[in-house]
């Protein structure tokens, strides 16, 4: 009698446990922002944030890396459906941030400084729990080629 979940007997079916894997996808969005704390004067903001506090704001081409984790489904051969991941990120993040002024158009950032740290934290909260059946493992948000943050939900 075949026991599909083990065994070592000759002729028996041996099934390896599913490998646990990290799946990543990259996304782009372009937004403008201004680094400033609303209650500080222009001089104080310029001292804190340099030219990033200039009143007119400035733009970035952001690169977002989203990494989810989970076992490889033996039927599909995938951790999760990449089209579903793309749809979630598009609806929850890209459609909200892309070609927007983050300070003025995203309510959360009318109070919070739109630093890459705070934007990454906001993105995490938007995506967490939305990448079923995988789990959100970490995200990286690049503001420039050299400046980026990584967040693991801690
Ligand atoms: Ni900036």
């Amino acid at each position: 009698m075949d026991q599909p979940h083990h065994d070592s007997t000759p002729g028996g079916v041996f099934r390896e446990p599913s490998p646990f894997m990290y799946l990543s996808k990259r996304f782009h969005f372009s937004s403008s922002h201004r680094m400033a704390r609303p209650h500080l004067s222009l001089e104080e903001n310029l001292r804190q944030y340099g030219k990033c506090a200039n009143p007119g704001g400035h733009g970035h081409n952001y690169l977002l890396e989203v990494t989810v984790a989970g076992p490889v489904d033996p039927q599909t051969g995938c951790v999760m459906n990449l089209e579903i991941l793309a749809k979630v990120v598009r609806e929850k993040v890209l459609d909200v941030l892309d070609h927007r002024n983050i300070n003025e158009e995203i309510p959360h950032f009318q109070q919070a400084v739109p630093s890459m740290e705070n934007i990454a934290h906001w993105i995490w909260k938007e995506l967490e729990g939305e990448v079923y059946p995988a789990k959100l493992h970490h995200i990286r948000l690049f503001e420039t080629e050299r400046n980026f943050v990584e967040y693991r939900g801690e």
Side-chain angles (χ1 to χ4, degrees):
M1 169 107 70
D2 263 355
Q3 291 286 334
H5 286 291
H6 60 46
D7 68 24
S8 54
T9 55
V13 176
F14 179 77
R15 183 181 287 173
E16 283 185 83
S18 292
F20 192 91
M21 232 171 262
Y22 302 87
L23 170 69
S24 301
K25 192 167 173 66
R26 288 183 177 153
F27 303 89
H28 296 273
F29 61 93
S30 302
S31 310
S32 63
H33 73 166
R34 176 181 178 236
M35 296 288 288
R37 296 158 73 189
H39 64 284
L40 297 185
S41 69
L42 176 59
E43 290 67 29
E44 287 170 313
N45 275 316
L46 286 168
R47 203 174 308 128
Q48 174 87 52
Y49 300 112
K51 63 185 179 182
C52 296
N54 282 343
H58 60 275
H60 293 285
N61 294 317
Y62 290 91
L63 166 64
L64 171 64
E65 287 181 4
V66 176
T67 299
V68 302
V72 177
D73 182 321
Q75 304 298 321
T76 64
C78 302
V79 172
M80 75 174 287
N81 183 321
L82 273 174
E83 286 187 13
I84 292 175
L85 178 60
K87 181 172 188 284
V88 166
V89 174
R90 184 173 64 248
E91 290 178 356
K92 294 281 182 178
V93 176
L94 306 182
D95 286 351
V96 180
L97 295 181
D98 190 39
H99 284 69
R100 301 281 180 181
N101 180 315
I102 294 177
N103 303 64
E104 290 178 15
E105 296 185 77
I106 316 300
H108 178 74
F109 294 103
Q110 285 167 4
Q111 293 305 316
V113 178
S115 59
M116 56 185 164
E117 292 90 335
N118 285 344
I119 296 170
H121 190 217
W122 180 88
I123 290 171
W124 179 275
K125 288 191 286 183
E126 291 296 305
L127 296 180
E128 196 180 15
E130 301 284 339
V131 293
Y132 181 85
K135 277 210 161 116
L136 191 58
H137 186 263
H138 69 271
I139 60 172
R140 297 206 293 174
L141 181 65
F142 291 73
E143 196 171 75
T144 69
E145 230 171 79
R146 297 182 206 176
N147 300 341
F148 64 98
V149 291
E150 177 169 310
Y151 187 52
R152 296 172 179 244
E154 293 151 357

